[in-house]
Amino acid sequence: LDTFDTRSVENMSSMFYENKSSTLDLSSFILKEDVDLTSMFGIAKARIGYAKDEKSINKFNDNTITSISSTLKFVVK
């Protein structure tokens, strides 16, 4: 995923829903301020995720928006 250009993406809703990977490396993702992350990680199997910075971590780890499981946590890579 390190070649994804996410600077203009407005909707990542359900992007990794039911994903079976054990890790998610989203450290190259640049998130727009108002990007839709609704249910982005619902039912994902990953245990660890990597993000670009603390701002991204806070967005990804927000269970009320992304439906992230209690076993998946993002950290800065």
Side-chain angles (χ1 to χ4, degrees), residues 8 10 35 37-38 47 53 67 71 75:
S8 299
E10 296 178 3
V35 65
L37 303 177
T38 306
R47 302 258 180 199
D53 52 33
S67 300
T71 59
V75 297

Side-chain angles (χ1 to χ4, degrees), residues 2-42:
D2 61 348
T3 60
F4 277 21
D5 182 354
T6 60
R7 292 174 289 179
S8 299
V9 176
E10 296 178 3
N11 188 335
M12 294 186 192
S13 178
S14 302
M15 188 176 203
F16 297 100
Y17 193 87
E18 292 189 26
N19 184 283
K20 307 253 187 279
S21 298
S22 59
T23 62
L24 291 172
D25 187 347
L26 309 184
S27 60
S28 67
F29 280 33
I30 298 170
L31 301 177
K32 288 181 67 170
E33 193 63 39
D34 59 346
V35 65
D36 181 0
L37 303 177
T38 306
S39 298
M40 186 172 184
F41 304 111

